[in-house]
Amino acid sequence: MDYFLGIDCSTQSLTAVLINLSKNEIIIRYSINFDKELPHYNTQNGTFSSNGGKVVHSNPLMWVEALELLFKALVQLNLPLNEIKAISGSGQQHGTVYLNNSFETTLNNLDSKKSLVNQLQKVFTRETSPIWMDSSTTKQCEEIRLKLGGLESTISITGSNTSERFSGPQIRKFYEQNYDDYIQTSTIHLVSSFLSSILLGKSSPIDHGDGAGMNLMNIRTKQWDDKALDATAPNLGQKLPSLINSYDVIGKISPYFVERFGFSPETILIVWSGDNPNSLIGVGLTEKGKVAISLGTSDTYFSYMKNLHFDLKGEGHVFGAPTGDYMSLICYKNGSLARKKVKDNFNLTWKDFSAILKNTPRGNYGKIMLPYFFPEIVPFVSQPKVYRFGFDEKDLEGNVRAIIEAQFLSMRLHSKWIGEKPEEIYATGGASANREILQVAADIFKTKVRIFDVPDSAALGAAFRSAKSYYDSINVKKEWSDLVKQFLYIEGSEVIRPTKACRQLYDDMLKIYGKYEDFILKGAENPETLRLEFVKKYFD
Ligand code: XUL
């Protein structure tokens, strides 16, 4: 049997998806929820935050302990771990793990009678890891951008503007504020390459997909960029693992996992990548024209990109794709946690929430929200604040529809740089199960939205990646598109069609929404008159 395992370390949980590619079936999905199953780390939604939500960290030991729990559970479920041919994984992007010089030797000498978490206690030079939700590095972003020659030059070197959550600015902050600990650090890993190292029993390379989310990799040469390294912190090049293709095999599984959990010593490992590159494959985006929205802790909008081009405004990103090409990505922090805030403020269930969406009119009587419940990435907002125009926080129905319309209006507005109008949008992530939310997406984008009931797209993508590289390694030719499409059975999934009658309404609303962003964030003119005209045109 051709069993492949994909593991995803996301913000709130660690998930495994085991697939049998000979039969195109999922054997199991299994998740460890950090808050619930590892309560001694005291996380909230997998994180700890301070400084008004600007500093957001997580605990790398928690991820390690979760990995053990996950494997224990798979053993207890009697899954054929010894028949798994290859494993790869996915990590929430940008987060960094700081390790001292005992990391390699510890991994090399793991005792399979003892737990991982006990043996890895002393390998860190920084107890907690800044993750993608951290927005405390505005100063470092400015410093690095300046040294790289300004906005456009930074984007054209690294594929993105310097971004608060990206690894480079985070590393610079650590160097500036904890100089001694920075000096003690011999290796800096990403979440993906850290966990990949543990399975491998030695430091793992970083792949081009996740490497592109650091502001340190040259997006054209796919090598560490000397200028970017120098602009970030001294001797950084010596602390970073090497960069490799996302499809490269990095070795065989460490004996620790063979002895402790019963994996076969022949299991090959493929380098881990970021959750977004993995999801790109997990939802079957192996060619142009199709876009995915992933509605999870973060909401992301992403697509496969054959030829490199950039968002010169600096809001969108270009990462490496698992196929060796590129992908575009726009990321919103106010995703599911913001939707949940509105739901919880009114003590609603998701069923109530959906019913309200169904029963309120498109355009929401002109009630517009700028939903910055948390600091936002796109557009950049450092101080969280929710702005409401034409309604207030007590208006139950108004708030429910306004948050969803705001999220998709913002996505349509800020994805224009990608150039192509999507032919079809694939919806994935937790909230993709909610048809009413997706109907709003279809209406606002004026595009079909296809629902995938493959919630763990990043872990599944990792399983696909491990399969593809395994077949390559034994010279069995499989095209990406065939492998993925056969498995996903895309044609069988449900499609939500846009409502024709509201095309003009959302075009008008989009313009007003953009003007409210400019009004609040750039001090432009207040578009209230336009909003009132909109109300008159559609709701009088
Ligand atoms: C992407 C981003 C998030 C994280 C966590 O740039 O910051 O999507 O990868 O999911």
Side-chain angles (χ1 to χ4, degrees), residues 163 165 299 311 313-317 329-334 371-372 375-381 406-407 410-411 413-415 417 513 517 521:
S163 309
R165 67 194 191 288
D299 280 354
D311 175 16
K313 269 168 73 191
E315 293 175 339
H317 310 291
L329 176 120
I330 308 165
C331 176
Y332 294 87
K333 219 187 262 189
N334 286 276
Y372 314 132
E376 187 48 280
I377 297 166
V378 177
F380 180 68
V381 175
Q407 289 178 325
S410 176
M411 263 186 203
L413 188 67
H414 295 281
S415 59
W417 66 273
Y513 185 87
E517 276 191 358
L521 304 174

Side-chain angles (χ1 to χ4, degrees), residues 245-309:
N245 297 308
S246 311
Y247 44 80
D248 284 344
V249 174
I250 50 174
K252 291 196 176 150
I253 195 163
S254 145
Y256 179 86
F257 296 93
V258 175
E259 290 156 22
R260 196 166 169 91
F261 301 106
F263 285 93
S264 155
E266 294 311 311
T267 316
I268 61 165
L269 303 179
I270 287 75
V271 67
W272 287 37
S273 186
D275 55 352
N276 293 296
N278 276 294
S279 283
L280 186 82
I281 290 297
V283 300
L285 295 187
T286 53
E287 57 208 52
K288 276 174 73 173
K290 308 242 162 57
V291 160
I293 48 177
S294 166
L295 305 174
T297 309
S298 64
D299 280 354
T300 52
Y301 176 100
F302 55 90
S303 58
Y304 169 87
M305 187 188 262
K306 181 82 199 154
N307 300 314
L308 198 55
H309 66 271

Side-chain angles (χ1 to χ4, degrees), residues 170-431:
Q170 291 290 345
I171 294 171
R172 181 166 177 81
K173 180 179 161 199
F174 185 59
Y175 150 70
E176 285 182 351
Q177 299 187 355
N178 304 69
Y179 179 78
D180 292 341
D181 297 334
Y182 176 77
I183 298 297
Q184 288 307 313
T185 303
S186 7
T187 314
I188 301 176
H189 272 294
L190 293 177
V191 179
S192 60
S193 61
F194 170 62
L195 289 169
S196 172
S197 304
I198 291 176
L199 287 186
L200 183 63
K202 62 179 186 196
S203 219
S204 158
I206 289 179
D207 86 301
H208 296 149
D210 222 7
M214 300 176 79
N215 285 137
L216 293 171
M217 185 184 96
N218 187 303
I219 195 73
R220 294 166 211 269
T221 63
K222 298 184 176 170
Q223 303 290 324
W224 297 124
D225 186 88
D226 286 339
K227 248 178 125 180
L229 293 175
D230 289 347
T232 303
N235 299 324
L236 182 53
Q238 292 156 27
K239 298 181 198 284
L240 294 174
S242 55
L243 282 163
I244 58 171
N245 297 308
S246 311
Y247 44 80
D248 284 344
V249 174
I250 50 174
K252 291 196 176 150
I253 195 163
S254 145
Y256 179 86
F257 296 93
V258 175
E259 290 156 22
R260 196 166 169 91
F261 301 106
F263 285 93
S264 155
E266 294 311 311
T267 316
I268 61 165
L269 303 179
I270 287 75
V271 67
W272 287 37
S273 186
D275 55 352
N276 293 296
N278 276 294
S279 283
L280 186 82
I281 290 297
V283 300
L285 295 187
T286 53
E287 57 208 52
K288 276 174 73 173
K290 308 242 162 57
V291 160
I293 48 177
S294 166
L295 305 174
T297 309
S298 64
D299 280 354
T300 52
Y301 176 100
F302 55 90
S303 58
Y304 169 87
M305 187 188 262
K306 181 82 199 154
N307 300 314
L308 198 55
H309 66 271
F310 302 116
D311 175 16
L312 292 177
K313 269 168 73 191
E315 293 175 339
H317 310 291
V318 179
F319 298 145
T323 51
D325 305 303
Y326 292 101
M327 68 177 287
S328 60
L329 176 120
I330 308 165
C331 176
Y332 294 87
K333 219 187 262 189
N334 286 276
S336 70
L337 297 181
R339 288 186 284 275
K340 194 166 170 296
K341 272 217 175 236
V342 173
K343 174 183 100 50
D344 293 348
N345 282 350
F346 292 103
N347 278 322
L348 302 173
T349 61
W350 283 117
K351 215 168 153 204
D352 304 331
F353 192 94
S354 302
I356 293 169
L357 280 180
K358 202 166 180 180
N359 296 323
T360 43
R362 301 174 180 91
N364 204 13
Y365 303 106
K367 297 171 187 175
I368 291 185
M369 180 192 280
L370 298 187
Y372 314 132
F373 290 86
F374 305 93
E376 187 48 280
I377 297 166
V378 177
F380 180 68
V381 175
S382 66
Q383 286 306 328
K385 182 166 174 186
V386 179
Y387 300 86
R388 294 177 180 83
F389 305 98
F391 70 121
D392 65 22
E393 70 215 48
K394 294 193 205 84
D395 176 346
L396 186 161
E397 298 193 338
N399 277 279
V400 167
R401 180 160 271 278
I403 172 116
I404 303 300
E405 288 189 338
Q407 289 178 325
F408 294 116
L409 285 167
S410 176
M411 263 186 203
R412 187 175 145 193
L413 188 67
H414 295 281
S415 59
K416 278 192 186 146
W417 66 273
I418 297 170
E420 299 157 28
K421 181 182 173 312
E423 292 159 19
E424 187 165 88
I425 296 176
Y426 293 179
T428 172

